[in-house]
Amino acid sequence: MYSKTVIDRFQNPRNAGGMHGANAIGEVGNAACGDIMKMYLKIDDNGVIENAKFKTFGCCAAIASTDMACDLIKGKTIDEALKVTNKQVLDLLGELPPHKIHCSILAEESIKAAIQNYYERKEKELKKSVKKPINYV
Ligand code: FES
């Protein structure tokens, strides 16, 4: 049985959809159930998450978990967002059946995957901006 919050978040997700201008996109999946989560973040120059959206191809617990995870990380710094756990998501959702706990873990992993993608993009930008040294030989 699902809590009222899970059902509400599943039926009326606040953060569903893609995002124009996202500078971090993370995708994770669960091989066992085949569900996929995609997290979109807009992170400002100070490392604060301005906005978070998601697309989840999965069960109602996965959709509710990702939606709640988006709310949890909005306004947080990258470091704070990395500390968000599936347990926090579960506490806000009002628990999930034991066989659906992995759905909340997927939400936690999608945050981490998006932040990893953010750093990968930053590294690419940095490499592009570094000019090659002149060889005077
Ligand atoms: Fe796999 Fe929910 S059943 S994410």
Side-chain angles (χ1 to χ4, degrees):
M1 200 55 190
Y2 292 115
S3 70
K4 280 183 184 174
T5 307
V6 171
I7 292 167
D8 177 44
R9 288 282 174 163
F10 168 61
Q11 291 180 330
N12 309 295
R14 282 64 157 171
N15 305 296
M19 186 195 295
H20 289 292
N23 56 2
I25 302 172
E27 185 174 313
V28 292
N30 184 299
C33 65
D35 291 352
I36 296 170
M37 271 180 199
K38 211 165 180 177
M39 174 83 67
Y40 301 83
L41 305 179
K42 175 73 182 138
I43 301 173
D44 73 14
D45 293 340
N46 298 315
V48 175
I49 297 169
E50 284 179 2
N51 200 7
K53 306 268 281 180
F54 75 94
K55 285 184 183 173
T56 293
F57 306 94
C59 69
C60 67
I63 290 167
S65 294
T66 330
D67 193 49
M68 191 59 87
C70 286
D71 277 350
L72 262 172
I73 61 172
K74 277 192 232 174
K76 283 193 163 65
T77 64
I78 289 172
D79 286 348
E80 289 168 341
L82 284 171
K83 289 177 188 152
V84 168
T85 64
N86 78 303
K87 172 84 173 71
Q88 290 171 278
V89 172
L90 287 172
D91 287 347
L92 289 169
L93 287 177
E95 298 214 7
L96 288 172
H99 67 288
K100 291 289 183 180
I101 299 296
H102 78 272
C103 315
S104 65
I105 293 171
L106 220 48
E108 179 187 325
E109 289 173 349
S110 70
I111 296 169
K112 292 181 167 79
I115 291 172
Q116 183 180 342
N117 175 255
Y118 175 75
Y119 283 123
E120 287 165 359
R121 288 174 185 228
K122 283 275 174 205
E123 196 178 314
K124 267 188 196 166
E125 281 173 26
L126 195 67
K127 279 182 183 167
K128 272 186 195 171
S129 69
V130 175
K131 292 182 180 166
K132 289 190 176 167
I134 300 167
N135 190 351
Y136 289 105
V137 178

